[in-house]
Structures are given as C-alpha cells and as structure tokens.
C-alpha cells in the first residue's frame, strides 16, 4: 500500500527521446506525482538534453507538476528563460554558480519551489547557508549525468543522516529529494530513513515510454 506522504517523480531522461510526450502521459496515467526534467548542457555534465521550450511544451500539453533539475554551468545566464515556462520546481547546483542565494530567491519569486541540488561529492556542510531559503534539497545519489547509474550507499547513508539531523535541529520544513539509482529494492529502506521524495528514471522506463514499472516499484512500500 502506497503511503500518502511519499512523492514519486518520473525522470524522462530514461525515456525514448522520440516519445517524450508518451512518456509523460504514461507517467501521469500511472499516478506519478511529478515529472523530473534534467536540463544538461554538455559542460556541467557530459550529456546534452533539452531547453526551456521543452518545459513550456510539457506545461502546455499536460497538467502535471514539473520538476526542473538544472545541470548547467552558470545557470544565471538561462534561469529567466526557464522561469518563463512556469515550472513548479527548479533546482540549481551550488557547484555551477557563484550566485546560488540570488538564484534561489529568483526561483522563489517566480512562484516555483526552489531547490539546491548536490552532486555525490558535494558535502552537506557546503550548503548549510542556503538551507534557510530552499524548499527542497535534491541529493544526487548516483554519479551524475546519466540514468541507470547505481545508488552510492557508501556516500548516501551518512549524507541522508546529516541532512535529516540538520533539518530537525534547525527546524526547517525543507523536503529531501533523492535522485539517482532509486529502484524497488532500495526505495522502501530509504523511505524508512525519512526520505519521502524520490526521482526514478531507469527503474520506471527501461527505455520503453509506453510501459512503466510503476506498480511493481510501488508495491515494495
Ligand atoms: C542523473 C539525473 C537523474 C537520472 C536518474 O544525473 O539527474 O535524474 O535520470 O536516473 P536513474 O533513476 O536511472 O538513476
Ligand atoms: Zn535529475
């Protein structure tokens, strides 16, 4: 039985790029809570994906929460264009800019939820001074840039513990979102550790935009 405080998002990075609309449609009809869109510029990460028009078109065609994960260098140069597409959530990487606080305020002022996203090697301590303004923290839990990479238990166990403790001691309402390597076998354990927002790519799509594994995954909870 699916607990009602859990949110599961589908990362369309693992869908067939020729069938993005179908992949979003399939996620919505499987009762996915949000669509996670990785924006990659070939510089901050190796891969290249989509742009602001993709977000605008998803918003135009579907009534679904869009979670934009900006994996780009100097997001200050493009953020406005993404905000003009009215995404529901936007996360930026502190490793990609000198202007994290300013950009997070800009996201919040647009009405979207603002998130700070962190690569595996980025320590929690480096974002403490941003936690007062963010709505969520997106922890990359596998090597960045591609779907299908495995969950890094060695790093994530203490990282999750640290962020949970900070959230509690500072009394912040922020959500903890995990992205990378989440599958049926670790979702339940991570939920028990207190995480309740998850992004799943390859576990859901298997490169087949028409057939999601959602029921199989959610049954582990
Ligand atoms: C990777 C991306 C993820 C990716 C997750 O850098 O940020 O959103 O799609 O894919 P899986 O669930 O296959 O690890
Ligand atoms: Zn992502």
């Amino acid at each position: 039985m699916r607990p009602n405080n859990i949110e599961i998002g589908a990362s369309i990075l693992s869908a067939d790029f020729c069938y993005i609309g179908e992949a979003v449609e399939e996620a919505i009809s499987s009762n996915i809570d949000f669509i996670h869109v990785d924006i990659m510029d070939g510089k901050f990460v190796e891969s290249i994906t989509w742009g602001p028009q993709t977000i605008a078109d998803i918003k135009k065609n579907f009534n679904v929460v869009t979670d934009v994960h900006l994996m780009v260098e100097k997001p200050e140069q493009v953020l406005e264009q993404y905000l003009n597409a009215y995404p529901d959530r936007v996360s930026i990487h502190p490793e990609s800019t000198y202007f994290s606080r300013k950009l997070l305020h800009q996201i919040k002022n647009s009405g979207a939820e603002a998130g700070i996203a962190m690569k595996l090697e980025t320590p929690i301590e480096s974002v403490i001074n941003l936690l007062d303004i963010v709505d969520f923290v997106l922890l990359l839990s596998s090597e960045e840039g591609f779907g299908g990479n495995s969950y890094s238990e060695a790093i994530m166990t203490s990282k999750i513990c640290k962020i949970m403790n900070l959230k509690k001691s500072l009394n912040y309402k922020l959500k903890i979102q995990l992205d990378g390597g989440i599958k049926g076998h670790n979702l339940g354990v991570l939920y028990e550790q207190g995480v309740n927002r998850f992004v799943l790519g390859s576990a859901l799509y298997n490169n087949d935009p028409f057939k999601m594994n959602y029921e199989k995954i959610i049954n582990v909870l």
Side-chain angles (χ1 to χ4, degrees):
M1 189 49 190
R2 176 189 157 131
N4 54 18
N5 66 346
I6 194 167
E7 285 176 71
I8 300 209
S11 174
I12 53 173
L13 187 65
S14 287
D16 183 324
F17 280 25
C18 281
Y19 297 97
I20 293 304
E22 286 84 348
V24 173
E25 213 161 65
E26 179 67 12
I28 294 170
S29 58
S30 300
N31 289 323
I32 284 288
D33 301 291
F34 61 95
I35 299 294
H36 179 86
V37 189
D38 290 298
I39 304 294
M40 302 177 167
D41 63 353
K43 293 181 199 144
F44 183 70
V45 287
E46 286 168 59
S47 316
I48 295 181
T49 56
W50 304 290
Q53 189 64 44
T54 316
I55 311 301
D57 286 347
I58 292 175
K59 293 300 295 183
K60 185 178 83 188
N61 287 283
F62 302 102
N63 180 17
V64 67
V65 173
T66 49
D67 176 39
V68 177
H69 180 186
L70 279 184
M71 305 180 88
V72 299
E73 259 182 24
K74 299 190 178 152
E76 59 273 15
Q77 295 179 346
V78 292
L79 183 61
E80 193 65 39
Q81 291 177 54
Y82 284 94
L83 296 179
N84 287 340
Y86 300 108
D88 300 275
R89 299 174 191 157
V90 180
S91 55
I92 55 157
H93 280 263
E95 311 93 338
S96 67
T97 179
Y98 293 120
F99 309 104
S100 297
R101 264 192 99 81
K102 185 179 162 225
L103 300 183
L104 289 165
H105 278 302
Q106 196 181 337
I107 297 168
K108 282 177 87 79
N109 290 340
S110 78
E113 274 188 32
I116 196 77
M118 302 162 71
K119 289 185 178 185
L120 268 186
E121 69 264 28
T122 306
I124 294 288
E125 290 75 10
S126 67
V127 301
I128 289 184
N129 292 336
L130 298 171
L131 296 181
D132 60 319
I133 50 169
V134 298
D135 299 294
F136 68 103
V137 173
L138 184 160
L139 301 178
L140 269 183
S141 38
S142 65
E143 294 291 346
E144 73 275 4
F146 299 94
N149 288 337
S150 43
Y151 182 79
S152 177
E153 194 154 353
I155 293 178
M156 294 314 295
T157 308
S158 75
K159 221 168 173 179
I160 292 171
C161 197
K162 275 186 194 165
I163 191 78
M164 288 295 171
N165 288 339
L166 266 175
K167 176 178 146 98
K168 216 164 141 189
S169 65
L170 297 170
N171 201 18
Y172 289 151
K173 288 209 164 36
L174 50 94
K175 298 244 180 182
I176 314 295
Q177 178 167 333
L178 287 188
D179 179 14
I182 310 296
K183 314 262 178 212
H185 69 84
N186 54 14
L187 184 63
V189 183
L190 294 165
Y191 174 68
E192 274 162 27
Q193 285 175 25
V195 181
N196 51 15
R197 198 186 266 178
F198 298 93
V199 174
L200 281 78
S202 51
L204 289 177
Y205 285 112
N206 284 330
N207 280 317
D208 185 346
F210 304 103
K211 206 160 30 75
M212 289 189 84
N213 292 326
Y214 184 70
E215 286 305 324
K216 221 160 70 189
I217 302 276
I218 210 71
N219 276 341
V220 302
L221 292 168

